[in-house]
Amino acid sequence: MSKTDKIPAHVAIIMDGNGRWAQARGLERHEGHQAGVSSLRNVIYRAARNEGVHYLTLYVFSTENWGRPREEVDMLMELLCRSIVNELDELLREQVKVVVVGDREGMSPTVVEHIDLIERETADCTNLTMQLCINYSARSELTRAARRLAAKAAAGELSPEAITPEAIADELYTRGVPDPDLIIRTGGEQRLSNFLLWQGAYSELWFTPTYWPDFSGDDFDAALAAFAGRHRRFGKVEEQE
Ligand code: FPP
């Protein structure tokens, strides 16, 4: 196994614990999200400077998150737009290409404008591709893929036999991006919460009790070190590898 096999080319993160971090300090939940942006910056640039990591996928806002109090949702959307404006120059300097994954139908025109802007401006960046999952859930993504394949079949463009795992992957938002090697979840829960259910079939999982606003570059390195010690078999036995 070469040295680069030990570095996950694609890392995905469920950034959990912002609310509890704020609560533990007697702060408002939105202050936890604000603090989470600093952790996010640390991790993005740490990943961009790591020669082995090429993709970073972040669970920013799930389709279920619309059910949170109105002020928290508005504040998260505002924080997203503000962060896009504030971070654009640094993302360009560090050569981070931003791609937004999820259903844009449910987003406000202002949010869509900001997303379009960051995707357009960073389209040619080459150090790291960062996928931001916004208004995303894996089940909605898979339902959308099934509908798209069914429409092609109904139009006579696709036979049932042509519906292969590759054909399904081609209809996902993440089309063309390799599956995550490592999924990190902060905040102590040990579940996937409707995140990358198809793409994560063989991902290594790494959980930490640390709340997202306390997650540092060193914690990111600790997750990469844990990954390097894992033995991946992809359903085969050792001799076949
Ligand atoms: C989970 O914590 C976090 C979120 C739902 C939002 C993630 C957003 C950020 C890290 C900052 C904004 C992002 C960008 C791209 C500007 P939680 O609220 O579920 O925490 P809890 O489980 O402790 O309540």
Side-chain angles (χ1 to χ4, degrees), residues 91-160:
L91 291 167
L92 288 170
R93 240 190 322 272
E94 298 279 350
Q95 284 292 293
V96 179
K97 173 177 171 168
V98 182
V99 177
V100 174
V101 160
D103 185 4
R104 291 181 198 203
E105 288 285 303
M107 299 178 195
S108 77
T110 310
V111 170
V112 174
E113 257 170 51
H114 281 78
I115 285 172
D116 286 347
L117 170 89
I118 195 112
E119 285 189 331
R120 199 172 52 241
E121 294 288 325
T122 63
D124 297 326
C125 291
T126 53
N127 269 348
L128 178 77
T129 296
M130 172 169 72
Q131 300 187 110
L132 295 179
C133 299
I134 304 174
N135 197 18
Y136 171 89
S137 82
R139 286 186 174 180
S140 319
E141 180 184 40
L142 285 162
T143 304
R144 174 178 172 272
R147 284 192 185 141
R148 288 161 72 103
L149 290 168
K152 286 184 187 171
E157 294 162 16
L158 192 71
S159 69

Side-chain angles (χ1 to χ4, degrees), residues 15-20 29 33 40 60 65 68 80 83 212:
M15 307 176 288
D16 198 15
N18 292 348
R20 281 167 287 162
R29 288 181 60 83
H33 297 313
L40 194 51
V60 175
N65 287 154
R68 292 189 174 204
L80 172 70
S83 301
W212 178 250

